[in-house]
Amino acid sequence: MAGSVAFTPVSRALRAAIIEHFEARGEDLDNDKGLRTLDTNSSLAPHRADLLVHTFLARSGHSTLENVRIADFGCGFGSLALVLAARGAQVIGIDPNAERMHVGASIARDFGLDARFFPGTFADADLGPESIDLALVNNSLCYVVSRSDRLTALRGIHETLVPGGWAVLRNPSQSHPKDPFTGWPLVHRLPPRVCNRVLAVGGVHRSDVRLTTPRAALRELRRTRFIDVRFDGSGGPRRARDRLAGYHHVSGRKPLHG
Ligand SMILES: C[S@@+](CC[C@H](N)C(=O)[O-])C[C@H]1O[C@@H](n2cnc3c(N)ncnc32)[C@H](O)[C@@H]1O
């Protein structure tokens, strides 16, 4: 569906559906983490999408998202996918958590948005080669811990892109002085398994994640044959202090030939 759709009603519907999702599972949302999840996936979703879209529009020469084919890898509830579809893009969301994706799928249906959702991981997403103009990876590649699996994931993304297509990734940063997941200082500079063991001794559980520095994120893109790779700071204009921000933001392009 082409054309823009106002996001405020979609955002309200997302909020209600996410509350329902957690209530149905008997999970409490009435705490800092729960409320952050709610806001992140409703009222804050347009801003989060802007950080990624800004890079794509600035780098690709597109002036809008109208009819741009986007894959959102690790889409979670699908809130970013819905923002993009509301701006006229054709979006596919992929995530291993099928239950969460149902939230996005039902709202896309209710609002007639062109966002489709498929269960899958980076490794088994089967979108077909050269079918996507823009691959978005927001805060999800960090859940792929093995270095070789991360390169496989990026190669898969590369394959789904049309020649000249773009990948934009936003990752929690290893360069920040504190671990973005726990707030503990410096532990995230340790190898992932050691970090989790240290945290466990302190009675803290953290998901299995691998954090990267901006430099390492760029290296991974280059190794998987992306070109024009660039560090775009934490989202806004490029600033030196972005290198130490909690999140970093990198992008690259699939070559037109070869
Ligand atoms: C912090 S959430 C981010 C969700 C979404 N990108 C957003 O910004 O709203 C991380 C997501 O990555 C997904 N994920 C974890 N492992 C993955 C994998 N191997 N392949 C694809 N997605 C994965 C999780 O299921 C989760 O939904």
Side-chain angles (χ1 to χ4, degrees):
M1 192 197 68
S4 284
V5 169
F7 196 71
T8 306
V10 181
S11 166
R12 279 200 206 104
L14 261 168
R15 204 172 177 88
I18 292 169
I19 291 172
E20 209 175 290
H21 170 92
F22 281 102
E23 277 179 0
R25 281 154 193 80
E27 291 175 39
D28 186 15
L29 264 179
D30 197 9
N31 51 56
D32 284 352
K33 185 165 176 254
L35 296 174
R36 209 165 41 242
T37 298
L38 257 187
D39 290 343
T40 302
N41 286 288
S42 54
S43 51
L44 297 179
H47 171 68
R48 296 197 303 124
D50 280 343
L51 296 178
L52 306 162
V53 170
H54 172 83
T55 296
F56 171 69
L57 295 181
R59 300 206 70 193
S60 67
H62 283 260
S63 55
T64 71
L65 292 182
E66 205 71 31
N67 297 319
V68 174
R69 293 162 296 174
I70 302 179
D72 180 3
F73 288 90
C75 64
F77 287 107
S79 57
L80 296 181
L82 294 173
V83 174
L84 304 167
R87 295 181 187 172
Q90 300 164 13
V91 192
I92 295 177
I94 294 133
D95 199 285
N97 189 331
E99 291 188 351
R100 288 198 170 199
M101 267 186 330
H102 284 153
V103 169
S106 72
I107 291 174
R109 245 189 333 268
D110 291 350
F111 286 84
L113 296 172
D114 193 349
R116 293 175 294 142
F117 295 89
F118 298 100
T121 64
F122 289 105
D124 61 20
D126 185 15
L127 302 182
E130 303 193 354
S131 57
I132 295 295
D133 303 303
L134 167 63
L136 292 182
V137 182
N138 194 72
N139 200 10
S140 52
L141 187 60
C142 57
Y143 292 90
V144 181
V145 177
S146 138
R147 289 187 201 280
S148 66
D149 288 351
R150 293 170 63 86
L151 295 180
T152 303
L154 290 171
R155 282 192 196 102
I157 289 173
H158 190 280
E159 198 177 310
T160 65
L161 287 171
V162 295
W166 288 88
V168 180
L169 297 87
R170 188 168 165 81
N171 305 308
S173 179
Q174 200 179 27
S175 299
H176 191 269
K178 288 186 180 170
D179 174 31
F181 287 82
T182 61
W184 277 43
L186 300 176
V187 282
H188 58 305
R189 308 260 174 109
L190 297 166
R193 213 172 290 160
V194 181
C195 169
N196 283 4
R197 261 190 241 133
V198 170
L199 288 168
V201 170
V204 176
H205 169 79
R206 189 179 78 150
S207 307
D208 276 336
V209 284
R210 178 178 293 280
L211 272 56
T212 50
T213 62
R215 195 186 291 259
L218 293 176
R219 209 164 39 229
E220 284 181 331
L221 282 179
R222 286 196 196 98
R223 283 188 66 185
T224 47
R225 297 181 32 240
F226 283 94
I227 60 170
D228 289 345
V229 302
R230 198 166 87 182
F231 167 61
D232 293 299
S234 63
R238 191 172 175 171
R239 292 164 304 193
R241 72 167 184 271
D242 283 334
R243 292 181 191 285
L244 291 175
Y247 283 78
H248 58 70
H249 187 113
V250 292
S251 57
R253 180 167 70 85
K254 177 171 176 165
L256 283 173
H257 306 286

